[in-house]
Amino acid sequence: MNHIAELRKGAGIKQRDLFTRLGWTQARLSNYESGHRTPGLSECRAITTALNELGAKCALDDVFPPEQDQPRAA
């Protein structure tokens, strides 16, 4: 799960401003925000950079938290 939308909204950034900054379509960003698509590492970095350029103060792990390791059954 990512926190793109939460961080974007919390910083007062409109979705249009973010996808325009990224040079993407609204549908692409929306699919990433909703979890319908999973961005690759380069897209994750681009999103984090764009959020910061637009005024959010966040790190890669804030936007895309590392998954917690699940204990494995013996």
Side-chain angles (χ1 to χ4, degrees):
M1 188 69 180
N2 68 63
H3 298 289
I4 303 167
E6 293 90 345
L7 289 166
R8 176 180 60 74
K9 292 173 186 175
I13 300 167
K14 295 181 180 178
Q15 191 179 60
R16 174 184 305 272
D17 295 332
L18 183 54
F19 74 73
T20 299
R21 174 66 62 124
L22 290 162
W24 296 349
T25 64
Q26 184 274 333
R28 181 177 180 182
L29 179 59
S30 179
N31 282 331
Y32 289 151
E33 285 189 348
S34 66
H36 285 94
R37 290 182 63 195
T38 302
L41 181 57
S42 62
E43 288 87 2
C44 292
R45 289 179 174 158
I47 291 166
T48 302
T49 298
L51 284 168
N52 280 294
E53 290 172 351
L54 292 169
K57 302 296 180 217
C58 56
L60 185 64
D61 284 353
D62 298 326
V63 186
F64 302 96
E67 293 182 23
Q68 299 295 321
D69 289 335
Q70 298 296 323
R72 296 183 184 195

